[in-house]
Amino acid sequence: MLRQAWRWSVFRNTTAGTIRSLAAVFLGADCPPRSSGGPTRGFEDIPNPLSVKSQRLLQPQPARYLSMASGGDHPSSTHHKHTNRLAQERSPYLLQHAHNPVDWYPWGQEAFEKAKREDKPIFLSVGYSTCHWCHVMERECFEDKEIGKILSDNFVCIKLDREERPDVDKVYMTFVQATSGGGGWPMSVWLTPNLQPFIGGTYFPPRDQGRRPGFKTVLMRIIEQWQYNRATLESSGQRIIDALKKGATITANPGESPPLAPDVANRCFQQLAHSYEEEYGGFRDAPKFPSPVNLMFLMSYWSANRRTSGGVEALQMAMHTLRMMALGGIRDHVAQ
């Protein structure tokens, strides 16, 4: 964990501004980054998405691993106007989208081959069954017949349950966080037929809202760029990926060693103490989703520094945060 924190400190100081400026080229500088209502994760929680290992994870898994997601011979419903391939899946989240007027594919070789054969970009939508904003975007966008037709005619549309494939979710969430400044679900990513991301975001309203482009507007922009400015679109995505690779690489002078673990721990503690919210506990501004890794670090820091004022402060921050969580109703209702 300490080594990850050190890597993140190096990464953050080198690429964040570069990557976000590249994303603004397409979506426009007047469109502020938007984080969905879903949990937001930092880069320290996500591995480098472009390593050889992660590239292998992007490939469809062998049939024996996909048996959980294949629904067998489920009969198609006769009282739904639209039924797509997701009706054959077992994931509750995918089944929720089985009757959208969108030609959805599950994550797999069939969708990848179609994208290559027809030379179409891929629209990847990721979520999970208990995600509030995922349901909102489905109701507003994916049940809209006009939007459904635009998606089906111009993209290969893939629905992914992040609880079935957290490996794929992590890869593209890293890209979305780098390009938009935030992350969450539903996650919306546009890919080349070779699965390389070039535009990403989270929730989009169906139509324009002031200076914020709606989902239909974003789709029409991407279609236009793919037809008339594809090389620039793909090269922009490649520059972002290259920046991610560079930022995830740790460089050191010959003979130089990484900082000592106590020094890294002290730096992590100072960062948490700086963002600590004294009245209600937790860190940073709302929404403050519970982050167990922060509390575990503070307790570990206290255990190693019990005789110091910093150690005492670390324990106080962790305990106060836990008390306020319990008072707010987040507790173990089964075992008390």
Side-chain angles (χ1 to χ4, degrees):
M1 179 171 63
L2 297 179
R3 185 176 302 165
Q4 283 183 329
W6 179 63
R7 289 178 179 175
W8 163 231
S9 67
V10 175
F11 178 85
R12 184 180 60 181
N13 293 330
T14 55
T15 63
T18 302
I19 293 172
R20 293 180 188 176
S21 64
L22 290 173
V25 172
F26 181 79
L27 292 179
D30 59 339
C31 301
R34 167 87 178 234
S35 178
S36 80
T40 300
R41 301 177 298 178
F43 283 104
E44 66 271 23
D45 299 323
I46 303 175
N48 173 18
L50 303 161
S51 63
V52 174
K53 178 180 178 181
S54 293
Q55 290 175 5
R56 290 199 301 267
L57 290 173
L58 286 176
Q59 300 304 315
Q61 300 297 303
R64 63 181 179 273
Y65 296 120
L66 290 176
S67 60
M68 177 181 68
S70 58
D73 297 326
H74 292 182
S76 299
S77 175
T78 57
H79 61 277
H80 291 286
K81 188 173 182 179
H82 304 280
T83 300
N84 55 56
R85 294 167 183 79
L86 300 185
Q88 302 301 316
E89 298 297 307
R90 292 181 178 177
S91 158
Y93 175 68
L94 298 184
L95 290 172
Q96 289 169 5
H97 294 265
H99 302 293
N100 296 158
V102 178
D103 188 17
W104 289 119
Y105 283 77
W107 179 268
Q109 198 63 40
E110 183 183 7
F112 306 156
E113 291 177 354
K114 177 181 174 65
K116 291 180 179 179
R117 183 174 62 252
E118 300 181 5
D119 196 31
K120 287 183 177 179
I122 294 172
F123 169 62
L124 173 64
S125 178
V126 183
Y128 55 101
S129 60
T130 57
C131 167
H132 169 73
W133 286 101
C134 296
H135 292 293
V136 173
M137 191 165 179
E138 179 195 11
R139 183 177 66 251
E140 294 179 343
C141 298
F142 302 141
E143 293 183 357
D144 186 294
K145 294 181 180 178
E146 180 184 11
I147 291 178
K149 180 172 176 54
I150 294 173
L151 282 170
S152 301
D153 290 348
N154 298 279
F155 302 90
V156 175
C157 304
I158 298 179
K159 258 293 172 189
L160 180 76
D161 184 346
R162 68 170 298 267
E163 294 180 328
E164 281 192 335
R165 293 301 302 271
D167 52 340
V168 178
D169 173 69
K170 285 185 178 181
V171 168
Y172 292 113
M173 182 61 74
T174 302
F175 176 84
V176 170
Q177 288 184 315
T179 55
S180 69
W185 301 274
M187 178 170 63
S188 305
V189 194
W190 286 266
L191 322 172
T192 67
N194 293 322
L195 305 182
Q196 176 179 300
F198 57 88
I199 293 295
T202 53
Y203 162 83
F204 290 95
R207 304 294 188 274
D208 296 351
Q209 294 181 357
R211 299 176 65 186
R212 176 172 173 76
F215 191 57
K216 180 182 176 182
T217 299
V218 172
L219 291 177
M220 299 309 294
R221 287 185 186 178
I222 293 175
I223 293 170
E224 179 183 6
Q225 293 293 316
W226 186 260
Q227 291 177 345
Y228 303 109
N229 199 21
R230 177 172 172 175
T232 301
L233 196 65
E234 291 180 330
S235 64
S236 176
Q238 186 60 51
R239 288 197 303 271
I240 296 171
I241 291 175
D242 291 341
L244 283 171
K245 288 181 179 179
K246 183 179 179 181
T249 301
I250 299 175
T251 59
N253 296 323
E256 183 178 359
S257 301
L260 298 176
D263 295 335
V264 178
N266 289 333
R267 182 170 181 177
C268 292
F269 169 71
Q270 292 298 330
Q271 290 177 346
L272 287 175
H274 180 72
S275 63
Y276 178 66
E277 209 268 279
E278 294 184 355
E279 184 174 1
Y280 296 107
F283 308 92
R284 302 182 180 87
D285 297 329
K288 291 185 289 189
F289 294 98
S291 300
V293 65
N294 291 341
L295 301 178
M296 292 172 65
F297 168 77
L298 290 174
M299 292 181 178
S300 297
Y301 187 83
W302 165 76
S303 179
N305 299 273
R306 297 189 184 194
R307 299 181 181 276
T308 67
S309 59
V312 174
E313 184 181 358
L315 181 63
Q316 185 274 330
M317 287 192 292
M319 296 304 296
H320 180 62
T321 298
L322 290 171
R323 290 190 188 98
M324 297 308 293
M325 288 170 61
L327 290 173
I330 301 179
R331 60 172 72 89
D332 184 350
H333 293 280
V334 177
Q336 303 300 314

